[in-house]
Amino acid sequence: MFPKESYVARRAELRRRVTRGGIILLPGNVESPVNYPNNVYHFRQDSTFLYFFGLNLPSMAAVIDIDSGEEIIFADDLSMDDIIWTGPQPTVAELAARCGVSDTRPLAKIDEVVRDAVQRGRSVHFLPPYRAENKFFISRVTGIKAEALADHISVELALAVVSLRDKKSQEEIEEIEKACEIGYMMHTTAMKMCRPGVVEREIAGAIEGIALQYGAGVSFTSIVSQNGETLHNHYYGNTLEEGRLLLVDAGAETVMNYSSDFTRTMPVSGKFTQRQKDVYNIVLAANARAFELSEPGKLYRDIHLEACTVIAQGLINLGIMKGDAAEAVNAGAHALFMPHGLGHMMGLDVHDMEDIGEKYVGYDLETKRSTELGVSALRMGRRLQPGMVMTVEPGIYFIPAYIAKWKSEGLNAQFVNYDKAEEFCGFGGIRIEDDLLITDTGNRMLGKKRVPATVEEVEEFMAQYR
Ligand code: GLY
Ligand code: MN
């Protein structure tokens, strides 16, 4: 945990920013069963609860009274049975003291505190619950039907939480740097292991082991695939083949649950073919362009479009696209090859705060997620501010079914050379992802050492292990 003063200050600022008054209800997460009650998934605390209380244990909830300043943690001390099966723990009062809360009560008592507020007509602020257990819990204590909760979430609380969590403090940045160190080990291990005959699963297992060895495990399910054109490919059963590319998109959480998220694409044989280099270098240039442009005040949507223009121009140079790059991007034609956004915020969640609602996190009053082809998949489009941590992850993918669909519809035929694009079916996909911190004057790449990224760096690194 951070020093308790950090949590005290964060909660004081939250109370200040939610001006409407009432109470703030912040449930932590509970254990979630895999296939029977006592066989549970790896426990992951709710990130907003972690941000304001730092306590990484299941079955806790908190209430902050905005008007009186009261802060209460609701949780139960362990029974003898709990101690026998899951081991001893400090008391709830001792745990709460670590984040500067002195009022603790049994979990069941939260019902009467929230009901009392409801009966008096006070506002009960809560964020959109994303787990069934917490939907049920909030529904029970507030009396709002689970199906109607989305209509009652507190926009004021959502905006206040986002406005605090979106700018990372020095101590948070240090944690994210640690997650990047683990990410570096994961990705360089993948590069060491990658060769013909190895099964994707062997690499996935090794790198996920590193995430657990040095931190709290992975920050999301790793993507380790020879079929990199499938964006979120979680199948690990292919045997690596000479001449193919392996895409590894993986990150770790530190023990305090701060994330990293990197993607590298490497040649299975250890050497890129000329065709692979040609496409790789376009993606690398798009990644570099995003770093050149990222600074406070810039719209991330504009940086996304600039990176897409680099991709379109590169594909025009290869004869896969045609016409004017800016016009092609304006028409959304690049989306055939890069159907996702340039990046997302990262922090306590790898896609930071996406549970709270993208319209508050990635967009704002000035910007709205567009439905237009080419920008519609961008998760974050608003202006960058110092302290924000972003991913930069351009890619080029050759998705046979998508190419066939566009071709059959004649979509953007003036910008796509379909015959040439079809020649790349079977090529796979390339994504190159790094994490950046927006500073007062520009940005800084996170991580002590960059995971090998250029063609030469990747080949030289891989050559050492064969
Ligand atoms: N690294 C996976 C994602 O950003 O969706
Ligand atoms: Mn990412």
Side-chain angles (χ1 to χ4, degrees):
M1 279 177 70
F2 295 130
K4 80 170 175 217
E5 290 73 20
S6 298
Y7 302 101
V8 170
R10 289 170 178 182
R11 294 192 301 268
E13 193 52 36
L14 180 67
R15 284 203 309 273
R16 211 180 61 73
R17 292 186 192 198
V18 183
T19 52
R20 188 149 54 90
I23 65 168
I24 297 171
L25 172 60
L26 292 170
N29 280 336
V30 297
E31 295 278 22
S32 195
V34 179
N35 48 351
Y36 56 88
N38 288 114
N39 187 26
V40 292
Y41 286 105
H42 162 73
F43 175 69
R44 179 53 160 81
Q45 183 58 287
D46 174 74
S47 296
T48 298
F49 190 85
L50 277 177
Y51 184 81
F52 290 107
F53 299 94
L55 300 175
N56 194 3
L57 288 165
S59 300
M60 295 186 138
V63 165
I64 298 175
D65 190 314
I66 304 164
D67 308 306
S68 70
E70 248 184 321
E71 298 171 331
I72 314 164
I73 288 180
F74 297 87
D76 296 326
D77 282 320
L78 297 191
S79 66
M80 188 46 68
D81 238 23
D82 295 328
I83 293 168
I84 291 167
W85 286 94
T86 55
Q89 283 287 351
T91 63
V92 173
E94 284 164 338
L95 291 167
R98 294 180 190 171
C99 62
V101 173
S102 54
D103 191 346
T104 61
R105 303 184 197 174
L107 190 55
K109 294 284 180 197
I110 197 165
D111 291 53
E112 64 197 52
V113 170
V114 178
R115 279 191 196 138
D116 177 67
V118 172
Q119 272 159 16
R120 289 177 198 224
R122 302 181 70 202
S123 300
V124 178
H125 299 268
F126 58 87
L127 297 171
Y130 53 92
R131 284 200 186 186
E133 295 92 336
N134 276 340
K135 287 184 186 168
F136 181 72
F137 168 73
I138 296 175
S139 172
R140 192 189 81 218
V141 296
T142 59
I144 301 167
K145 281 200 174 118
E147 310 85 83
L149 285 174
D151 302 328
H152 291 83
I153 68 130
S154 168
V155 173
E156 205 182 354
L157 177 63
L159 291 171
V161 171
V162 171
S163 71
L164 283 166
R165 283 183 56 191
D166 68 359
K167 287 169 284 298
K168 275 61 182 177
S169 65
Q170 189 52 40
E171 59 194 358
E172 290 186 286
I173 293 162
E174 284 166 20
E175 276 298 310
I176 295 172
E177 293 271 19
K178 284 186 211 161
C180 291
E181 293 309 301
I182 307 172
Y184 180 92
M185 288 189 269
M186 293 165 74
H187 281 270
T188 50
T189 298
M191 285 182 186
K192 286 177 197 173
M193 292 178 69
C194 176
R195 68 194 67 240
V198 170
V199 180
E200 292 160 347
R201 179 174 293 110
E202 296 175 54
I203 298 179
I207 68 174
E208 294 207 347
I210 292 171
L212 202 53
Q213 190 178 350
Y214 294 97
V218 292
S219 50
F220 58 97
T221 305
S222 307
I223 298 160
V224 180
S225 182
Q226 211 167 219
N227 297 319
E229 76 280 9
T230 303
L231 300 183
H232 278 179
N233 195 337
H234 295 147
Y235 178 72
Y236 305 134
N238 298 305
T239 302
L240 301 187
E241 293 164 14
E242 188 83 32
R244 302 281 303 271
L245 292 167
L246 176 70
L247 187 150
V248 179
D249 182 351
E253 285 194 351
T254 63
V255 288
M256 285 182 61
N257 300 103
Y258 282 86
S259 311
S260 62
D261 183 3
F262 295 120
T263 308
R264 287 295 183 266
T265 310
M266 60 206 77
V268 171
S269 67
K271 284 255 178 217
F272 290 95
T273 63
Q274 189 55 47
R275 198 161 89 130
Q276 288 169 344
K277 268 187 217 175
D278 290 343
V279 179
Y280 190 93
N281 281 328
I282 301 170
V283 180
L284 192 66
N287 172 300
R289 185 79 184 124
F291 273 89
E292 268 166 38
L293 294 172
S294 293
E295 61 183 33
K298 284 267 173 64
L299 287 173
Y300 208 57
R301 186 181 55 208
D302 289 346
I303 299 170
H304 164 84
L305 289 170
E306 286 283 344
C308 291
T309 307
V310 172
I311 285 173
Q313 187 58 60
L315 291 174
I316 289 168
N317 296 346
L318 292 183
I320 298 168
M321 289 183 74
K322 55 191 178 182
D324 178 74
E327 283 174 24
V329 168
N330 225 8
H334 61 282
L336 178 57
F337 306 104
M338 179 169 154
H340 62 73
L342 179 63
H344 48 85
M345 278 206 246
M346 193 183 80
L348 274 167
D349 307 295
V350 67
H351 283 201
D352 212 21
M353 299 179 279
E354 284 188 7
D355 58 308
I356 296 177
E358 187 183 80
K359 68 178 174 192
Y360 312 118
V361 178
Y363 292 89
D364 55 13
L365 291 175
E366 180 192 9
T367 54
K368 220 170 78 186
R369 192 193 284 221
S370 164
T371 52
E372 302 273 313
L373 190 63
V375 270
S376 61
L378 180 63
R379 295 169 185 279
M380 149 88 190
R382 68 184 169 104
R383 284 189 198 281
L384 297 172
Q385 296 172 50
M388 283 183 174
V389 170
M390 301 291 307
T391 67
V392 173
E393 49 182 306
I396 295 179
Y397 314 89
F398 296 95
I399 307 168
Y402 202 32
I403 293 171
K405 179 173 189 293
W406 277 40
K407 185 181 179 184
S408 71
E409 292 170 2
L411 195 57
N412 281 311
Q414 69 275 40
F415 297 117
V416 180
N417 182 349
Y418 283 108
D419 291 344
K420 187 80 179 167
E422 279 172 340
E423 286 174 21
F424 282 75
C425 288
F427 178 98
I430 293 176
R431 180 161 63 253
I432 304 172
E433 176 176 24
D434 293 286
D435 304 330
L436 71 71
L437 166 70
I438 301 297
T439 61
D440 289 336
T441 53
N443 73 75
R444 174 166 80 71
M445 194 177 283
L446 289 167
K448 269 204 201 90
K449 261 191 357 204
R450 190 181 191 193
V451 181
T454 66
V455 163
E456 296 72 27
E457 286 166 358
V458 172
E459 289 185 348
E460 273 167 32
F461 187 88
M462 291 180 82
Q464 295 172 62
Y465 300 93
R466 28 197 79 225

